[in-house]
Amino acid sequence: MLYRKPLLFLFLFLFVSCSFAIAQASPKREFRAVWIATVDNIDWPSKKGLSSAQQQQEFIRQLDLHEANGINAIIMQIRPAADAFFPSKIEPWSEWLTGTQGKAPSPYYDPLKFIIDEVHKRGMEFHAWCNPYRAVFSNNTSSLTANHITKRKPEWFINYGGQRFFDPGNKDVQLYVNQVVEDIVQRYDIDAIHFDDYFYPYRIPGKHFNDQKSFAKYGKGLSLEDWRRSNVDSVIRKLNATIKKVKPYCRFGISPFGVWRNIDRDSLGSATRAGQTNYDDLYADILLWLRNDWIDYVAPQLYWEFGHSAAAYEVLLKWWNDHSYGKDCYIGLGVYKANKLKAWRDPAVIPMQIKELRTMPNVHGMIFFSSTSFYGNPLGWNDSLRNNYFHYPALIGARRNPMIALPPVPEVSHITSGSTKISFRVSTAAADTGNVRLVAVYSVPEQSNDTSGSKLIAVYPFVQLRLIEINADSSQYQKFYVTFLNRLNEESTPSLALYSPRQTPAVAVLEEKKAKGKVKKRNKR
């Protein structure tokens, strides 16, 4: 019924016809991520108690879908409620994995290691998503082990809205949360720790979050609201220091509710009328964390459409662009809303949100909630990403840390070419292999010597003597360059891999030697 509307036909025709122009305009560096939620089996695994093989198959299916869509980062929920999707001496196995909290997968495997390996195998980043304060998802139905932290330290917890939460004001709780995160960062090859919007719980009308004992003990003359914010501030500050101490390249990101504060409460707030906000209800002062360098990126959840009466997408997008304080800003987009509301039955809503966020100078990408929402190609959005907005790959934004070395220049060898395919191998000195994470391949017009005008056509995870094969259009004369990227996504000087698919291998090797000679001269300077 929907597709009989003439205006929609016109829109779809124009949308497809301009695909090449849109694809060409996609940025070289852009964070393109998906949230994979495990709480209550939202995304993975699809239900409790699947075999290890079934769990792995399901995850690979999702990952292959996102790889085809052009995604370059996965944000995976690994600690939804004081539990673990990995073997831990601190917290029990999650009930959403096997059906019973504390029960390991069978046959045994480490789901987190498996997941990270599969993500990195595809050249994507892996961000470990933890819920800081939720301890029991349902007081009535959740499975709990005899040694769960709520049983061992009942004085640490507060019942609220049928769930159980850590008391953020308890100093021992703050140390415990830090210990849990430190263990993850030490043991696993993650690229970031990621927290969502659940700090103090969302306010329930008529219900009081009973933290009076901690307030009486630690309040020290502060108002209840300021004291609660100071508790969350303390955890964020400690976690950032711990993460950077263990792994200097590991980032710390927060995905807050989309409204920091309404303008009627604070002149710095957004022109919105949200019923709850980070600052006033969740006691999360995101702007303080950004200003003080306690977090590396912010990913506000902007799950509203353009023109929303209380929280318009365009208003909040501009507000976060203006209040990111030099940190990376990624916009959370609500693909889960497809077909659920009138505004979300329009195929243009997500494409238009992507186009709009790309106009913002301080916005560096997006994250989609959530993974399985992409099943079935809702409103053609998989097609939109593959054919238009993510048609070409993108690198994640770089950052500098003096403790991490810059990547070496690639060594290119064994070049062969034909009318349809080009292949070569890339490598580096053995001493430099630990400082290379990705290999990027660029296509440059034959007559151009300016690599800034090149087109990123492929990104691969680095392995020594990596074989690169590229399908080449014999009607176009092109140069191909390769670069290396380190864990901070910093890029090396490019090396020439091949000049035009019509050249003989001998000519290609000669061009490669010339390029290496130029690189050596440049390095001597």
Side-chain angles (χ1 to χ4, degrees):
M1 207 58 172
L2 181 66
Y3 289 95
R4 293 179 185 173
K5 296 181 180 180
L7 287 176
L8 185 55
F9 270 127
L10 177 61
F11 164 76
L12 290 173
F13 172 77
L14 293 173
F15 185 64
V16 173
S17 66
C18 67
S19 64
F20 181 75
I22 295 173
Q24 286 291 93
S26 66
K28 169 185 167 179
R29 289 193 180 266
E30 185 172 65
F31 191 76
R32 303 169 177 175
V34 169
W35 278 294
I36 300 182
T38 58
V39 65
D40 207 25
N41 299 110
I42 291 174
D43 288 314
W44 184 87
S46 61
K47 60 182 179 180
K48 301 174 181 178
L50 295 179
S51 70
S52 298
Q54 289 172 319
Q55 291 171 6
Q56 293 173 7
Q57 289 167 3
E58 282 194 351
F59 185 77
I60 288 173
R61 177 195 174 191
Q62 291 187 43
L63 208 54
D64 287 346
L65 170 65
H66 301 318
E67 182 181 26
N69 281 354
I71 295 300
N72 59 19
I74 296 296
I75 302 176
M76 180 86 180
Q77 192 175 34
I78 65 166
R79 184 195 182 245
D83 54 3
F85 275 73
F86 53 94
S88 169
K89 293 180 180 179
I90 304 173
E91 295 182 320
W93 287 100
S94 176
E95 67 172 299
W96 291 296
L97 193 64
T98 60
T100 302
Q101 190 177 82
K103 182 180 178 182
S106 180
Y108 181 84
Y109 79 112
D110 182 341
L112 183 53
K113 185 180 186 308
F114 167 79
I115 286 164
I116 292 171
D117 288 346
E118 289 295 325
V119 169
H120 284 167
K121 190 189 299 182
R122 290 162 174 79
M124 301 175 182
E125 282 194 352
F126 180 83
H127 294 214
W129 168 15
C130 302
N131 185 285
Y133 291 130
R134 183 171 54 213
V136 179
F137 183 71
S138 171
N139 290 340
N140 295 325
T141 62
S142 287
S143 163
L144 294 177
T145 61
N147 67 340
H148 188 257
I149 190 65
T150 57
K151 302 283 186 69
R152 291 186 284 119
K153 298 286 185 180
E155 68 277 11
W156 286 7
F157 298 93
I158 296 171
N159 289 317
Y160 188 74
Q163 298 183 321
R164 202 166 304 157
F165 296 89
F166 285 93
D167 177 2
N170 185 304
K171 299 300 182 185
D172 292 329
V173 164
Q174 296 176 13
L175 293 173
Y176 178 83
V177 172
N178 192 77
Q179 179 189 10
V180 169
V181 171
E182 183 176 18
D183 177 60
I184 296 167
V185 178
Q186 282 180 334
R187 292 200 290 131
Y188 289 96
D189 185 22
I190 64 173
D191 299 292
I193 287 289
H194 180 97
F195 278 7
D196 54 26
D197 50 324
Y198 290 95
F199 292 99
Y200 278 82
Y202 280 86
R203 177 170 39 82
I204 301 171
K207 301 282 186 180
H208 174 63
F209 188 77
N210 189 11
D211 55 355
Q212 290 302 309
K213 285 185 180 179
S214 293
F215 180 50
K217 186 175 182 179
Y218 300 113
K220 295 180 181 178
L222 294 172
S223 69
L224 177 64
E225 291 75 16
D226 286 342
W227 172 73
R228 285 177 174 176
R229 278 185 286 271
S230 73
N231 294 330
V232 184
D233 294 343
S234 295
V235 167
I236 297 298
R237 185 175 65 250
K238 289 174 184 174
L239 283 171
N240 179 63
T242 296
I243 292 165
K244 296 302 187 293
K245 178 186 69 177
V246 177
K247 285 181 180 166
Y249 60 80
C250 186
R251 293 199 291 164
F252 184 26
I254 303 289
S255 175
F257 178 69
V259 180
W260 173 73
R261 231 181 166 194
N262 294 318
I263 198 167
D264 66 348
R265 298 291 300 273
D266 191 317
S267 61
L268 197 60
S270 53
T272 50
R273 295 183 290 108
Q276 300 200 48
T277 68
N278 286 287
Y279 187 92
D280 296 300
D281 299 285
L282 306 180
Y283 304 101
D285 190 356
I286 315 295
L287 298 197
L288 177 69
W289 310 343
L290 289 166
R291 290 192 201 105
N292 288 349
D293 298 328
W294 294 345
I295 60 176
D296 299 297
Y297 70 80
V298 63
Q301 300 168 28
L302 304 192
Y303 300 155
W304 301 281
E305 64 273 12
F306 288 94
H308 188 280
S309 58
Y313 173 81
E314 68 276 16
V315 170
L316 285 165
L317 174 65
K318 177 67 164 57
W319 189 90
W320 283 103
N321 174 80
D322 296 343
H323 296 86
S324 57
Y325 297 94
K327 305 301 183 296
D328 288 329
C329 180
Y330 313 132
I331 301 301
L333 300 179
V335 293
Y336 75 97
K337 284 192 168 182
N339 291 312
K340 291 185 178 178
L341 298 167
K342 181 179 179 181
W344 292 87
R345 297 186 191 115
D346 182 355
V349 62
I350 288 292
M352 292 302 293
Q353 288 186 343
I354 294 173
K355 287 180 70 174
E356 189 68 15
L357 72 83
R358 283 178 171 174
T359 68
M360 297 290 151
N362 300 321
V363 172
H364 309 97
M366 67 216 79
I367 312 173
F368 300 100
F369 188 84
S370 67
S371 181
T372 54
S373 299
F374 282 103
Y375 283 176
N377 192 19
L379 297 175
W381 289 340
N382 290 351
D383 297 331
S384 296
L385 297 182
R386 296 179 189 193
N387 299 325
N388 300 301
Y389 297 95
F390 297 173
H391 181 69
Y392 293 111
L395 305 175
I396 294 171
R399 59 201 187 282
R400 179 88 284 270
N401 186 322
M403 299 178 68
I404 307 296
L406 293 169
V409 178
E411 298 176 5
V412 183
S413 60
H414 304 294
I415 301 175
T416 60
S417 63
S419 60
T420 60
K421 186 165 285 190
I422 301 159
S423 66
F424 52 88
R425 292 188 183 277
V426 293
S427 61
T428 188
D432 292 329
T433 56
N435 199 37
V436 182
R437 175 177 168 264
L438 297 175
V439 182
V441 182
Y442 296 86
S443 171
V444 187
E446 179 190 7
Q447 302 303 323
S448 173
N449 291 312
D450 179 13
T451 56
S452 65
S454 59
K455 180 172 66 182
L456 181 64
I457 59 172
V459 179
Y460 304 92
F462 171 76
V463 292
Q464 188 70 290
L465 282 175
R466 173 97 210 192
L467 175 65
I468 306 292
E469 290 189 326
I470 301 170
N471 293 323
D473 183 353
S474 60
S475 67
Q476 295 181 2
Y477 289 88
Q478 296 171 307
K479 298 175 184 176
F480 294 91
Y481 286 92
V482 291
T483 62
F484 283 155
L485 287 93
N486 63 11
R487 292 298 296 251
L488 301 180
N489 295 305
E490 295 175 301
E491 199 165 15
S492 71
T493 301
S495 289
L496 182 65
L498 189 71
Y499 182 88
S500 169
R502 292 187 179 180
Q503 288 182 307
T504 63
V507 175
V509 170
L510 179 62
E511 290 291 340
E512 175 202 350
K513 288 180 178 179
K514 289 179 181 177
K516 283 185 178 179
K518 291 178 181 177
V519 169
K520 286 179 181 178
K521 288 180 181 178
R522 193 158 49 238
N523 288 343
K524 286 180 181 179
R525 293 176 189 170

